[in-house]
Amino acid sequence: MLLNSIQIDDTFAEAFNMRGTRVIITAQNHKWAYHAANAMTGFATSVIGCGVEAGIEREMTAEETPDGRPGVSILMFAMGSKVLMQQLETRMGQCILTCPTAAAFSGIASEDMISLGKHLRYFGDGYQTSKLIAGKRYWRIPVMDGEFLTEETTGMVRAIGGGNFLILATSQPAALAAAETAIDAMKKIPNVIMPFPGGVVRSGSKVGSKYKSMFASTNDAFCPTLKGVTNSELSPEIESVMEIVIDGLTFDDIALSMKAGIEAICALGPASGVKRISAGNYGGKLGPHLFNLHEILKKTG
């Protein structure tokens, strides 16, 4: 398939089941809401090394938040409920409780509710107080700048991680510029995050390694410096590849974000240096969710 003279490979991205949650963080202004959210979603690019994958979903106006202050929503994903609960509580305590003026609220409804501030309330050393409003329990914990307000629980839902596509270009600047264009478009899609730095990852991986201690290693087939020494997927003119990984609440959310990103890149045309769009998969062995690039572009377009 060609889209504005850029080749779309007949392949698919392979994704897997995850557990996810959303938290709304508010503060005195957006500056401090972002300080809290950036801390909470830091070191959360991949479950391989971080335990969770997390990111800022979107900025929220004061009219949209539970306490009428500026805020942001964050999404957090893990391979299992136990890890998600542990990471959420740890990051709440170290990143939100500590951040001046910050407050935290549930951002998603579910039959499965997990602790947001339920256990964190004990930091109040007996001075904490609670209030039940419209069936939701909130905790007020005294801290040195006043009070830390947090909802007791938030929802945990089934989600999907590992949606992705690859940008193959004639130079590193061209690949990165295209990736940035894609991220700008994908950030407009709700219910997804792109957890890597700036939404982009340069170190795509394959399953396994020549070293027994490594269960993932560099995706040599897409490394331009390995053309000629490995079973390369790259033609001679391709000198750089960037990957965008997407986690989302549903299959359709991820598919829609992939479509938005790919179409934004293709709108740049071949003069951008982008020659191909491909995707990472493991032959269907990693996860049950397959995002066929051609089907995504046809189905949702």
Side-chain angles (χ1 to χ4, degrees), residues 13 27 57 74 92 121 139 151 172 184 234-235 238 299:
E57 180 187 21
I74 68 107
M92 278 287 294
R121 72 179 191 265
W139 286 96
E151 199 166 332
Q172 187 182 74
D184 287 343
L234 307 182
S235 52
I238 302 301
K299 181 179 178 181

Side-chain angles (χ1 to χ4, degrees), residues 202 204 218-227 230 232-234 241:
R202 67 173 181 175
T218 191
N219 194 354
D220 53 272
F222 286 91
C223 293
T225 60
L226 297 180
K227 284 185 290 188
T230 189
S232 180
E233 290 279 349
L234 307 182
V241 180

Side-chain angles (χ1 to χ4, degrees), residues 84-100:
L84 183 63
M85 290 188 284
Q86 290 174 336
Q87 288 277 344
L88 179 59
E89 286 202 329
T90 299
R91 289 165 186 263
M92 278 287 294
Q94 298 302 310
C95 307
I96 308 303
L97 170 66
T98 59
C99 182

Side-chain angles (χ1 to χ4, degrees), residues 98-110:
T98 59
C99 182
T101 79
F105 304 92
S106 171
I108 193 165
S110 172

Side-chain angles (χ1 to χ4, degrees), residues 147-166:
E147 284 186 333
F148 170 53
L149 174 63
T150 177
E151 199 166 332
E152 183 171 82
T153 58
T154 186
M156 178 174 63
V157 298
R158 297 190 181 281
I160 299 172
N164 71 82
F165 62 87
L166 305 173

